[in-house]
Amino acid sequence: GENVEQHPSTLSVQEGDSAVIKCTYSDSASNYFPWYKQELGKRPQLIIDIRSNVGEKKDQRIAVTLNKTAKHFSLHITETQPEDSAVYFCAASGGYSTLTFGKGTMLLVSP
Amino acid sequence: KAGVTQTPRYLIKTRGQQVTLSCSPISGHRSVSWYQQTPGQGLQFLFEYFSETQRNKGNFPGRFSGRQFSNSRSEMNVSTLELGDSALYLCASSLKRTGGAGTEAFFGQGTRLTVV
């Protein structure tokens, strides 16, 4: 089955800096790669996703890049703000497989 | 449009007991998946239901089971509870299973199960 590795497990940045979280996946059949943000005590919420027919997608301060050949994808957050502090999860799915999640990255943005 | 609703929000059970958790998906969504979330382990897939049929199952013992009703509401059951079953159980619904738009998964707030 699919295996998703996520790094780093913890990331501390200063407000205004950029943050990058990286994920690799194992199943070449995977074609859908969402990212979720989970604030403390809340449900995971979809913040951006990408499908395998595109290499990059942006939405304001967040962007996701996908390299299908290398089987890795990354989340980029620019101009980080304290409210970006949360746990971020990447995931992959494809064919008839369900979402497989990485173990999460705790992002801490210091004012 | 109402989101994914899970009940109850919190449960405390004793070892050996059984528990049933409920998930009502977003109206029109037919796929419901269940995940177990524990610190350090992330979100581990339990099972997925679509049109009342289990489509995929994760690597959990047979004590974990589920079902889906004709209105797409889903329940999961854990029998003979163990201390290690303490976790946040999340369900997610999506419009369809695969292919293109509509596969985005939306999560409920979860049921926090504590086994003592």
Side-chain angles (χ1 to χ4, degrees):
Chain A
E2 175 67 275
N3 182 50
V4 177
E5 300 281 341
Q6 183 172 347
H7 299 280
S9 56
T10 306
L11 179 59
S12 294
V13 299
Q14 292 290 120
E15 183 177 359
D17 287 350
S18 294
V20 180
I21 302 170
K22 298 182 179 182
C23 290
T24 60
Y25 61 99
S26 61
D27 189 351
S28 56
S30 289
N31 58 11
Y32 175 60
F33 308 92
W35 286 86
Y36 285 82
K37 175 184 179 182
Q38 187 177 28
E39 296 175 27
L40 190 63
K42 296 192 176 180
R43 73 187 79 192
Q45 292 203 295
L46 178 69
I47 56 171
I48 194 167
D49 57 13
I50 192 168
R51 297 185 188 275
S52 60
N53 56 344
V54 298
E56 183 175 0
K57 184 176 178 181
K58 284 189 75 171
D59 183 3
Q60 299 182 336
R61 295 186 298 108
I62 60 174
V64 58
T65 58
L66 170 65
N67 183 326
K68 282 222 78 179
T69 304
K71 295 208 208 76
H72 65 72
F73 56 113
S74 301
L75 177 71
H76 305 252
I77 306 174
T78 59
E79 300 171 25
T80 53
Q81 301 166 5
E83 51 265 39
D84 294 330
S85 296
V87 178
Y88 291 80
F89 293 96
C90 63
S93 74
Y96 285 97
S97 67
T98 50
L99 287 173
T100 300
F101 285 84
K103 287 192 171 12
T105 296
M106 180 177 289
L107 174 64
L108 302 169
V109 182
S110 304
Chain B
K1 197 174 187 181
V4 180
T5 304
Q6 291 187 244
T7 56
R9 291 290 311 279
Y10 302 93
L11 266 178
I12 299 176
K13 291 286 187 178
T14 305
R15 270 183 305 173
Q17 287 186 311
Q18 74 163 14
V19 67
T20 299
L21 313 181
S22 178
C23 174
S24 293
I26 292 171
S27 178
H29 283 197
R30 297 169 62 193
S31 175
V32 175
S33 297
W34 289 88
Y35 295 86
Q36 182 193 66
Q37 185 174 30
T38 55
Q41 291 301 311
L43 291 146
Q44 293 186 286
F45 171 70
L46 281 155
F47 25 66
E48 179 208 3
Y49 286 88
F50 183 84
S51 293
E52 302 178 64
T53 303
Q54 187 179 91
R55 305 291 177 160
N56 275 302
K57 190 176 192 309
N59 190 25
F60 278 81
R63 299 185 297 107
F64 292 81
S65 62
R67 58 179 174 167
Q68 186 179 36
F69 302 94
S70 59
N71 61 358
S72 294
R73 189 177 71 85
S74 178
E75 289 182 346
M76 68 164 279
N77 184 277
V78 188
S79 62
T80 320
L81 284 165
E82 301 176 359
L83 295 178
D85 297 333
S86 295
L88 179 67
Y89 290 88
L90 291 159
C91 79
S93 78
S94 59
L95 189 62
K96 56 181 181 175
R97 295 190 66 226
T98 62
T103 54
E104 297 86 350
F106 297 89
F107 282 88
Q109 287 195 300
T111 294
R112 174 73 63 184
L113 173 64
T114 303
V115 183
V116 297

